Amino acid sequence: MSHHIIEAQDLYFVYPDGTKAINGISFKIIHGESVGIVGSNGAGKSTLIMQMNGFFLPTSGSLKIGATPVNEKTKVDIRRHVGLVFQNPDDQLFMPTVFDDIAFGPLNLGFSKEEVEKCVDESLKMVGCLELKDRPSHHLSLGQKRAVSIACILSMGPDILVMDEPSSFLDHRSRRDLINLLKKFTHTKIIVSHDLDLILEVCERCIILKDGKIQADGKAKDILSEENILKQNNLELPLTLQKNNILK
Amino acid sequence: MSFNQFEFFDLGYLDYLSYKDTFIHRIDPRAKLIVSLIFIITVISFPKYEISSLFIYFFFPIFLIAMADLPAKVIIKRIFIVSPFALMIGIFNPIIDRKVIITIYGLGITSGWISYFSIIIKFILTVSTGFILIATTSFPGICLALEKLKVPKVFVLQLMFIYRYIFVLGEEVVRTMRARELRSFGKKGYELSIAGNILGTLLLRTIDRSERIYQSMCSRGFTGNINLSKKINFTLTDLLYTLILSAMFIVLRFFSGSYAVGRMLLGKGS
């Protein structure tokens, strides 16, 4: 059964305090697609991400990962197919050393010790940080922490990668490394970010959210170059597209 | 007194030291943990008026500092920092226990002073051993040793999380204090209400963070059990290290080493 597809149908989510965060969203993301989700603060981006992992369950409507609807029973199973990279790597890396952190997921999935060793090495190699294996997590730089957080998720072999602000805290060089890394992955990717340039480079498709509703959904290149649509949603043209206007 | 952030970051210094590579650092964490525990227990088990027999035990911390290439100054400074505890614990001994037991050149020394002095020596010995253990063994190593020695996992995990997040929390405290200082324009600003607010904010942030950490654990298949998978080998060297040192501590507990060394130095033989 393929878990690479995400399908939302008329999805609603209301927080316990009555805040309506998601107001009727429908979309379908297919195998291997990379989708950027953008929107101003409070548009419902993070809430949407939390739904994909079953931390928040839909108030009404449905969200399916592959053919499985996300609900109380399936959420544990779904979490191994949807790898969520948190915004703050300090929240994600909770074990004392990099090795322990990356091994955490695979060990919980019941891998044998040899498999775990192999898995850790492979995922660290993929993000180019093999030399960090035995370092304590809190001694790493933020760029390294980010790479290791991604490796932790890769080690579980997820079908879908979901990332919350992957470029936050990063300097230009680390951001560039991250973009190159993301371009290499063949997983279905969902990236939530304010970094529109990153989305423009990494994602083919882009969804704009505002007040918990989809305002635009289409090719990233088309949507992110439409100044009007962006302005209506409190966004601006990506910097790479702005440069020409300023120099005019 | 303003909050000294550099002092705080010093906390991590022992941790940095523990990633050195010397003979002592390479010894199995279990061996070091057991030896340190036996050392501490034997030192504490001495009767309360004992002083002379304790001196010989200083060889152990000195031996470790030398072998592990640790900066002695750092260890001594830290002993000073925690010393008020020990100084306070015994402070009433000289006042309550006033029986004169030795007279040196007409100056009577009461048993209270002797027991107070004994407490301080025991304190220096045990605390320095603790610091040296931390400075020669990485914290994850200690946790692993505890786990292999069948300490309940709940405690080991608690320790592990404390180690992982104490630095994060500390940095958060530093940032918050800095933000307060920047806007208090030289005023002390440590009024109780503000301190309360800061503590409250920190508590809320910590709770939020713990929730996110839990989510992160869940999204990686956490079901209530954490597996520590590292293998460590207990080699012959580790065994010898444990046996020789432990035996030495225990023998010295019953036969005063200081006395023997003293007689030897005075050329009296035994």
Side-chain angles (χ1 to χ4, degrees), chain A residues 14-26:
Chain A
V14 183
Y15 276 101
D17 66 355
T19 317
K20 290 176 184 159
I22 308 267
N23 292 313
I25 284 183
S26 303

Side-chain angles (χ1 to χ4, degrees), chain B residues 190-206:
Chain B
Y190 274 88
E191 296 94 350
L192 221 51
S193 63
I194 291 174
N197 283 339
I198 290 179
L199 275 179
T201 317
L202 282 172
L203 177 68
L204 288 178
R205 278 196 215 161
T206 312

Side-chain angles (χ1 to χ4, degrees), chain A residues 50 53 55-56 79 84 86 88-97 99-102 104-105 107-108 113-114 116 134 136-139 152-153 156, chain B residues 12 15-16 19 139-140 143 148 160-161 163-165 167-168 171 209 212-223 225-231:
Chain A
M50 286 301 177
N53 225 321
F55 288 122
F56 300 157
R79 283 173 190 163
L84 176 59
F86 284 61
N88 186 345
D90 270 328
D91 295 337
Q92 179 138 21
L93 305 175
F94 47 82
M95 296 290 278
T97 67
F99 175 87
D100 291 328
D101 237 313
I102 298 178
F104 184 84
L107 281 172
N108 282 330
K113 282 189 180 169
E114 292 72 36
V116 169
D134 294 313
S137 309
H138 62 268
H139 286 175
C152 295
I153 298 302
M156 297 189 299
Chain B
D15 193 46
Y16 271 106
Y19 290 91
F139 204 83
C143 290
K148 300 263 174 193
M160 245 164 56
F161 278 112
Y163 168 75
R164 174 62 186 89
Y165 283 103
F167 299 100
V168 176
E171 274 168 39
R209 185 186 289 281
R212 289 195 303 270
I213 293 166
Y214 180 65
Q215 286 174 346
S216 155
M217 292 167 75
C218 283
S219 58
R220 285 192 267 155
F222 176 70
T223 46
N225 188 25
I226 289 187
N227 297 295
L228 301 166
S229 76
K230 280 256 179 63
K231 266 181 280 179

Side-chain angles (χ1 to χ4, degrees), chain A residues 191-243:
Chain A
I191 300 174
V192 164
S193 185
H194 290 298
D195 186 346
L196 300 185
D197 296 273
L198 177 132
I199 303 251
L200 196 60
E201 275 196 61
V202 178
C203 305
E204 304 115 46
R205 181 172 160 195
C206 176
I207 294 176
I208 298 184
L209 284 186
K210 192 186 180 188
D211 301 328
K213 287 190 188 120
I214 293 183
Q215 301 294 327
D217 182 353
K219 279 194 173 166
K221 278 186 189 137
D222 297 344
I223 289 184
L224 294 176
S225 55
E226 268 310 323
E227 218 172 344
N228 282 337
I229 300 181
L230 293 171
K231 256 190 192 150
Q232 279 163 19
N233 294 293
N234 308 332
L235 299 166
E236 271 187 340
L237 273 180
L239 296 174
T240 37
L241 302 180
Q242 268 180 28
K243 200 172 102 190

Side-chain angles (χ1 to χ4, degrees), chain B residues 29-46:
Chain B
R30 279 171 289 187
K32 281 184 276 191
L33 193 68
I34 293 172
V35 168
S36 301
L37 275 179
I38 292 179
F39 177 83
I40 290 172
I41 292 169
T42 39
V43 166
I44 297 172
S45 73
F46 275 99

Side-chain angles (χ1 to χ4, degrees), chain A residues 77-88:
Chain A
D77 189 48
I78 275 174
R79 283 173 190 163
R80 54 191 288 188
H81 299 289
V82 181
L84 176 59
V85 181
F86 284 61
Q87 178 173 6
N88 186 345

